[in-house]
Amino acid sequence: MFINYETFRRQADAVREKIAEACRQARRNPSEVRLLAVTKTHPPAAVEYAARYGLEAVGENRVQEAVSKRAQCTAAIRWELIGHLQSNKAALAAAHFDRVQSVDCLKLLTHLDRAAGELGRRLPVLLQINAGHDPDKFGAEPAETTGLLEAALALPHLQVDGLMTIAPLSDNPAVAQRTFVALRTLRDELTARTGAPLRELSMGMTGDLAIAVAEGSTLVRVGTALFGTREQPPGFRVASPAEPP
Ligand SMILES: *Cc1c(COP(=O)(O)O)cnc(C)c1O
């Protein structure tokens, strides 16, 4: 059964306190760091909770799931796509999301730009960077980012707000820290080179949000700490020794 609102409120208060504490340690103003509630795999109630609590946006990682969830929600809240996007779903994404954080190649940029143009809108995006050089993660390689950004800045129907990254999964906090420093450094270089402010640094999740805030995150994407653990996707099974194959 899904959590009730009181449980959510308590968990959200705890996440906000964690962000505030990380800001105090880093001598940052807590108003510089916003909280994106990651509602993937959770019911529409998760979105309603986030809106009632006063959060501005939710994050979903699959287009289809978000489209059907959004149709069931009355909450006034912004929807952001944080999961991998294929070019053939660009038009659907441009129509149903307020921002796409997972833009990592030229083909996707051009498809999103065309779709946004057809909708008569300017679509905010983030460039997703594989700042941790993780073979398991999507995202543009840092070395190819200048070209990608220059292409994005030339497209009339996209607005590049900043960069996004996912740290490699690791028990060693230094891995996440190195990844977040790399993203911030890359942003500073890109801003110096192109003049684009790239204000948004979307980095940090449940397990590494304090490190991300210390390294300059402006947006932490949090699911588990707000809503509890997610169920595994359909078809996912862990082989257990007690279970014959
Ligand atoms: C699922 C997801 C999150 C949230 O992860 P938690 O560990 O549950 O906080 C953040 N960012 C992306 C891109 C995700 O897919």
Side-chain angles (χ1 to χ4, degrees):
M1 214 187 66
F2 192 57
I3 57 169
N4 62 24
Y5 180 72
E6 278 314 302
T7 303
F8 170 79
R9 192 178 54 75
R10 236 184 315 107
Q11 290 174 170
D13 284 349
V15 170
R16 291 216 314 188
E17 179 47 39
K18 198 163 182 182
I19 294 169
E21 176 57 26
C23 284
R24 276 192 290 276
Q25 300 221 355
R27 300 177 188 282
R28 297 184 61 196
N29 185 334
S31 68
E32 291 169 23
V33 184
R34 280 162 313 112
L35 173 58
L36 182 78
V38 176
T39 48
K40 67 186 183 199
T41 78
H42 294 304
V47 180
E48 307 286 348
Y49 290 177
R52 182 171 161 195
Y53 188 80
L55 300 182
E56 298 158 36
V58 292
E60 287 278 337
N61 71 338
R62 295 174 58 199
V63 177
Q64 213 65 57
E65 178 184 338
V67 168
S68 82
K69 204 176 289 182
R70 195 168 187 173
Q72 299 171 65
C73 283
T74 54
I77 199 159
R78 296 173 45 257
W79 293 68
E80 303 207 18
L81 182 63
I82 59 174
H84 180 63
L85 177 62
Q86 285 169 336
S87 304
N88 61 8
K89 296 220 181 96
L92 196 61
H96 291 276
F97 285 93
D98 299 289
R99 185 162 71 175
V100 176
Q101 297 200 9
S102 45
V103 181
D104 62 358
C105 69
L106 189 58
K107 188 175 175 197
L108 191 51
L109 275 175
T110 53
H111 279 68
L112 284 171
D113 179 67
R114 190 187 318 140
E118 281 165 8
L119 293 160
R121 65 181 295 214
R122 191 139 185 249
L123 181 70
V125 298
L126 302 182
L127 300 182
Q128 180 177 350
I129 312 299
N130 191 356
H133 303 285
D134 183 342
D136 296 336
K137 293 282 190 305
F138 291 104
E141 286 303 316
E144 64 194 28
T145 310
T146 304
L148 197 61
L149 176 62
E150 282 169 349
L153 293 173
L155 294 171
H157 307 293
L158 300 183
Q159 167 192 311
V160 187
D161 289 344
L163 307 180
M164 181 271 235
T165 199
I166 307 171
L169 205 57
S170 169
D171 293 333
N172 180 1
V175 171
Q177 194 201 15
R178 206 185 304 136
T179 303
F180 300 147
V181 169
L183 192 72
R184 188 191 63 220
T185 306
L186 179 64
R187 189 275 306 276
D188 294 347
E189 287 168 9
L190 291 170
T191 295
R193 200 171 296 172
T194 65
L198 304 174
R199 283 202 182 80
E200 194 86 285
L201 282 182
S202 172
M203 54 191 201
M205 330 199 315
T206 293
D208 54 22
L209 72 88
I211 302 169
V213 169
E215 298 305 339
S217 173
T218 61
L219 186 66
V220 291
R221 311 176 305 266
V222 179
T224 307
L226 292 175
F227 300 110
T229 53
R230 287 178 291 273
E231 288 185 13
Q232 299 297 350
F236 183 96
R237 283 172 86 225
V238 182
S240 90
E243 193 182 17

